[in-house]
């Protein structure tokens, strides 16, 4: 309650009563988010982490002036997601990881649908891929940080929802470029297969389920690259060969 009150007071002081400059209010909200994360880890308090992280994600929206500076916004979210990653290093909190995922890719998706312009392609896609890598790392940490009786559990919404969200936005950015989606799907597939292989070579039994999930995603994205690059006859032939190989 105290953390939520600090966010509300900072917001009211800046936007409703003009008692604080917006930059100062944003800095205060960032400080509150950081302190909330530290307290949440120290006291093992999930509710505090959720309120602190949620407030951190909402802070720039609350004090936004409508300038549309996506570099500053996404840089701020990169720092905030680094905080989510840090908390995930110490605590296996599925709700907090999912909250960060929804906020991050939800806001990137809203930006893609409203404030995006073609000249922002590389910077937007660069931040999108950075967020994707961050949450892949969070999903690995979640599998590593389970209690002994939950070893092997994975966060399905994080493991499978993340690539759907990231590739969907990525595909919308590059949809007008020939073969870009095919190469992107192949890149996603190669990444997941390489990651599954790397984790499998660590020979940790409780990572087996995560390795299988990543391998499945690698096969799915690699398969998706085929119809994005070839015609129906070539796709049918390649999928038939792939199916025989899987059998």
């Amino acid at each position: 309650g105290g953390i939520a009150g600090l966010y509300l007071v900072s917001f009211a002081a800046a936007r409703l009563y003009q008692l604080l400059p917006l930059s100062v209010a944003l800095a205060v909200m960032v400080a509150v988010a950081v302190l909330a994360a530290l307290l949440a880890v120290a006291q093992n308090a999930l509710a505090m982490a959720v309120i602190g992280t949620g407030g951190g994600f909402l802070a720039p929206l609350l004090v936004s002036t409508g300038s549309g500076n996506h570099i500053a916004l996404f840089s701020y979210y990169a720092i905030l997601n680094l905080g989510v990653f840090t908390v995930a290093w110490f605590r296996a909190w599925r709700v907090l990881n999912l909250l960060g995922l929804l906020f991050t890719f939800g806001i990137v998706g809203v930006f893609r649908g409203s404030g995006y312009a073609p000249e922002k392609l590389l910077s937007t896609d660069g931040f999108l891929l950075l967020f994707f890598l961050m949450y892949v790392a969070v999903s690995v940490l979640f599998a590593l940080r389970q209690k002994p009786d939950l070893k092997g559990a994975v966060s399905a919404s994080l493991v499978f929802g993340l690539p759907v969200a990231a590739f969907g936005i990525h595909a919308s950015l590059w949809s007008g470029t020939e073969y870009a989606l095919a190469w992107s799907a192949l890149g996603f597939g190669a990444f997941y297969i390489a990651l599954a292989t790397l984790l499998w070579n660590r020979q940790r039994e409780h990572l087996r389920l995560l390795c299988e999930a990543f391998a499945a995603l690698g096969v799915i994205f690699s398969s998706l690259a085929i119809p994005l690059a070839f015609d129906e006859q070539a796709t049918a032939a390649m999928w038939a060969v792939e199916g025989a190989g899987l059998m």
Side-chain angles (χ1 to χ4, degrees):
I3 292 172
L6 287 174
Y7 279 122
L8 292 174
V9 169
S10 302
F11 166 69
R15 291 302 300 271
L16 302 182
Y17 300 104
Q18 291 76 47
L19 296 175
L20 288 176
L22 293 177
S23 58
V24 174
L26 182 60
V28 170
M29 291 183 178
V30 171
V32 172
V34 171
L35 292 174
L38 293 175
L39 285 172
V41 171
Q43 300 191 19
N44 196 25
L46 174 59
M48 188 179 296
V50 169
I51 294 173
T53 302
F57 277 106
L58 289 173
L61 305 182
L62 294 175
V63 301
S64 173
T65 60
S67 63
N69 187 346
H70 71 293
I71 297 292
L73 178 65
F74 292 158
S75 297
Y76 168 79
Y77 280 147
I79 295 172
L80 198 58
N81 279 313
L82 190 60
V84 174
F85 176 84
T86 303
V87 173
W89 184 270
F90 298 99
R91 297 286 186 268
W93 286 338
R94 188 196 307 265
V95 173
L96 181 63
N97 299 337
L98 183 58
L99 179 70
L101 176 72
L102 292 175
F103 266 115
T104 299
F105 288 91
I107 291 172
V108 173
V110 169
F111 173 77
R112 172 64 182 92
S114 57
Y116 173 77
E119 61 270 15
K120 301 175 182 179
L121 170 62
L122 293 180
S123 58
T124 302
D125 199 42
F127 276 109
L128 176 67
L129 295 178
L130 174 63
F131 296 146
F132 167 74
L133 292 175
M134 282 183 168
Y135 278 94
V136 169
V138 167
S139 65
V140 173
L141 282 178
F142 181 84
L144 286 172
R145 298 300 176 187
Q146 295 295 318
K147 295 179 181 179
D149 57 336
L150 292 177
K151 286 295 186 184
V154 298
S155 177
S157 54
L158 191 64
V159 171
F160 296 105
L162 171 63
V164 171
F167 187 78
I169 299 174
H170 174 81
S172 71
L173 293 173
W174 291 94
S175 58
T177 304
E178 188 177 15
Y179 295 119
L181 297 186
W183 283 111
S184 297
L186 186 61
F188 271 69
F191 169 78
Y192 273 113
I193 291 174
L195 184 59
T197 303
L198 178 64
L199 293 175
W200 182 263
N201 288 337
R202 293 175 64 90
Q203 296 182 345
R204 293 190 180 183
E205 183 60 30
H206 62 272
L207 290 178
R208 179 184 179 90
L209 186 59
L210 186 64
C211 291
E212 292 177 353
F214 284 165
L217 287 169
V219 171
I220 290 171
F221 277 110
S222 299
S223 302
L224 181 62
I226 296 174
L228 292 174
F230 299 96
D231 60 17
E232 294 88 344
Q233 289 78 12
T235 297
M238 292 182 187
W239 275 358
V241 173
E242 181 184 8
L246 289 174
M247 287 289 292

